[in-house]
Amino acid sequence: MAGTVGAQAFESVEVGQSSRSANPANIDALLDQMTLDEKIGQLVQRMGGRSKALNSRLGPDELEKVRRGEVGSYLHVAGAEPLRELQRVAVEESRLGIPLLFSMDVVHGYRTIFPVPLAMAASWDPDTAVRHARIAATEASAAGLHWTFAPMVDIARDPRWGRIVEGAGEDAFLGSRMAVAQVRGFQGSDLAAADTIIAGAKHFGAYGAAEGGRDYAGAEVGKRTMQEVYLAPFRAAAEADTASYMTAFNAVDGVPTTGNAALLRTMLRDEWGWEGLLLSDWRAVEELMAHGVAGSRSDAARLALEASVDMDMVADVYAADLKAAIDADPALVPLLDQAVRRILETKRKLGLFDDPYKYHDAARESRVILSDDHRAAARTAAQRSIVLLKNEGDVLPLAKDAQHIALIGALADDALSQLGSWRARGMAEDVVTLRAALEAAHPNVTFAPGADSRSDDASGIPAAIAAAQSSDLIVLALGEDFDWSGEARSRSSLELPGRQRELFEALAATGKPLVVVLMGGRPLAIPEIAEKADAVLQTWLLGIEAGPAIVATLFGENNPGGKLPASFPRTTGQVPVNYDFLPSGRPADPDLTKDTARYMDQPITPLYAFGHGLSYTDFAYGEPMLDRSEIAADGGALTISVDVTNSGARGGDEVVQLYMRDPVANVSRPVKQLRGFRRVALAPGETKRVSFTLTADQFALWGPSGGWVIEPGEIELMIGSASDDIRGRTSFTITGRGAGRIAPAAIETRTLVMETGQ
């Protein structure tokens, strides 16, 4: 595009070259030099392009805004050289020389695309999440970026919500651990290092609780559930020092988050003590008018600033209308100064005042993007994210000499879908599909698309049946393509889309061994597959190394060890079906003559429960052991240990899961809550002891009058392989009464794995 910022259009600027960048030694002194317009400019984030047309808006008019100090940040920009020139204009041609922040949604990889976040949560391995975020930061920073809008830490208990794909699923504890891992991976140990970027935990509030699973819809959440479930991963991110948060689009109890001073200024900043950069979501400040809480753009600007929202993403409400709000109410000036100070401090922590060009090394960009090491890490992450849902008769793993394989399903050859949503700079040509990998690994494969997830065309089904009938076994790729999940991708039905169910039924009727490879970004209601398929692998959307990871798993080179981060319902009408529900005064009973908390037409249990995941081997659990029978509420701790043995013939991973229950309290407590987990690799016959150390804080509840309370009494502990596969139970007693500090699910449980000498 003529007149836009591009590498060919600029003078070369050496990395580390001196500039007119402002001296960061005294942020307050810099603030004193700023005009009102320059202060407001720091609160403005503008589009440098579109997600598929980066840098396309950076023409002469935009550069003039930078020179006048009217912009603090850009999104939808990338590239070491073009962003170096844009930064040069900011630091050498503006009055105060304040550097810009460059940002992008780098959610599960920059160019090296990893599994979607829900899939990585299925690894139950925070180290995998750290590694992903570290590589994403390395590549993104090499491309000139300072800031990502990730991790998304919204708890999602309704899989109809399309953005469940972007988070860690239904559980606050697992979600908290994945949130911390990604913040640490993105930000590293030193934000001033040239290969780190600031994390942007989102979407602050209860965005994942949207009514009916409809994106952007309001949420009606009780205070206890808000504190114990939806806010817990955000608190964990704060404890991990996330440098930024993004507000949610939706309203909670009628108050839009972007204008919610009680939630943002009072709780997040004053009570939690968090001092970072708070950004609105896309045009969310402007949308305060559509929510019906602001009568004008200046009203919207005032509400957002009063709520302590520091930066306005792309709506230009702060840019065009905040000044009018300040003229009407000069008491807003101190709030403006606070916001500017936080933004400048973030830029200082990144080291941009010391060296504004350190993120703009084109040689490093070329060297690190999509490196062999990064691809290898993406393959490992993909393998660790696969969940074995069913394996009737040990159909899997397939024998290496399997005679003739019919590979059916359009998704098996869909490279674009494996990139998932928010693919940053991922490219379809980088993806190795299931078809490509299987044909490379096995000499006798016949492929037929059969049916597409986005089409009602059934004309390909006869050819798929013919391919199956002339083969020895069927590998069938089913599910959703990338465009079925993500932002604004809510569904009213969780059944297989398109004519895929018809395809499945036809193939099941052939009587051939049938392995289903289930792809997509959410749990689906698949009772017919659970009943009739011989084996089911949940493979999600696995990134650029999807095909090799799936094929390695099919043939047993990778023994699947993933577990579900969200329950699979039997039907859409069953949702939400989260594992940690409250007990009923009339517990479910299969006897339909009794009035209990059940359905008339099906079991109340999920099809596949939270934490479920099989292996090609078996694991035996010993009896759980406690190091004490009671702890004090005002600071006690205990350790629970269990021996886990691989009792099968293959090496494999087991995710040992620790759950708790408070059976008698001042408020009804969930039937179980996750409080620890550890993924352990075991050779055949090997035993390891897994120990979890918990503090009294992890048994706190949000009290009837508000605030965290640790109540005296018995606590039950359960250890097992899934939320519905408990292998051992024990209990202890809390003595006295105490006050918890933060959400129990946000507190990291200390774990230890040791050999037992066997």
Side-chain angles (χ1 to χ4, degrees), residues 76-144:
H76 294 329
V77 292
E81 291 190 11
L83 295 191
R84 179 170 55 186
E85 174 58 16
L86 184 57
Q87 192 72 287
R88 186 195 66 78
V89 173
V91 300
E92 298 191 17
E93 296 184 15
S94 68
R95 187 178 77 89
L96 294 175
I98 299 173
L100 296 163
L101 284 175
F102 302 131
S103 59
M104 180 186 288
D105 289 277
V106 181
V107 176
H108 54 108
Y110 177 73
R111 177 71 183 273
T112 303
I113 302 300
F114 281 70
V116 293
L118 187 64
M120 278 193 288
S123 74
W124 288 59
D125 181 14
D127 288 344
T128 292
V130 170
R131 179 67 173 148
H132 137 259
R134 188 84 292 280
I135 288 173
T138 299
E139 292 191 354
S141 62

Side-chain angles (χ1 to χ4, degrees), residues 45 149 245-249 258 277-286 304 309-315:
Q45 182 176 81
F149 307 137
Y245 283 108
M246 181 188 291
T247 65
F249 282 117
T258 306
L277 195 167
L278 185 58
L279 171 76
S280 82
D281 206 337
W282 184 277
R283 308 193 78 92
V285 176
E286 180 182 67
V309 175
D310 300 318
M311 191 172 283
D312 173 15
M313 183 189 284
V314 310

Side-chain angles (χ1 to χ4, degrees), residues 153 179-180 183 187 201 204 231-245 268 272-275 742 746:
V153 302
V180 168
V183 169
Q187 297 188 170
F204 200 91
L231 289 177
F234 292 101
R235 185 62 191 265
E239 295 294 305
D241 293 325
T242 184
S244 74
Y245 283 108
L268 173 61
W272 292 9
W274 182 78
E275 299 177 347
I742 65 174

Side-chain angles (χ1 to χ4, degrees), residues 363-387:
R364 181 167 79 94
E365 180 181 28
S366 177
R367 185 175 65 253
V368 306
I369 298 293
L370 204 64
S371 70
D372 290 344
D373 286 348
H374 292 180
R375 287 200 76 118
R379 181 180 298 194
T380 298
Q383 290 179 347
R384 295 179 74 79
S385 300
I386 293 172
V387 183

Side-chain angles (χ1 to χ4, degrees), residues 620-626 640-644 656-660 672 692 716-731:
Y621 283 66
E623 288 296 319
M625 301 167 287
L626 288 174
I640 181 171
S641 303
V642 66
D643 289 344
V644 182
V656 183
Q657 301 167 39
L658 172 66
Y659 295 89
M660 65 146 294
K672 58 174 68 77
F692 301 93
E716 298 174 358
L717 295 177
M718 298 158 271
I719 285 184
S721 186
S723 64
D724 65 344
D725 186 9
I726 300 301
R727 306 291 184 90
R729 301 171 184 267
T730 187
S731 64

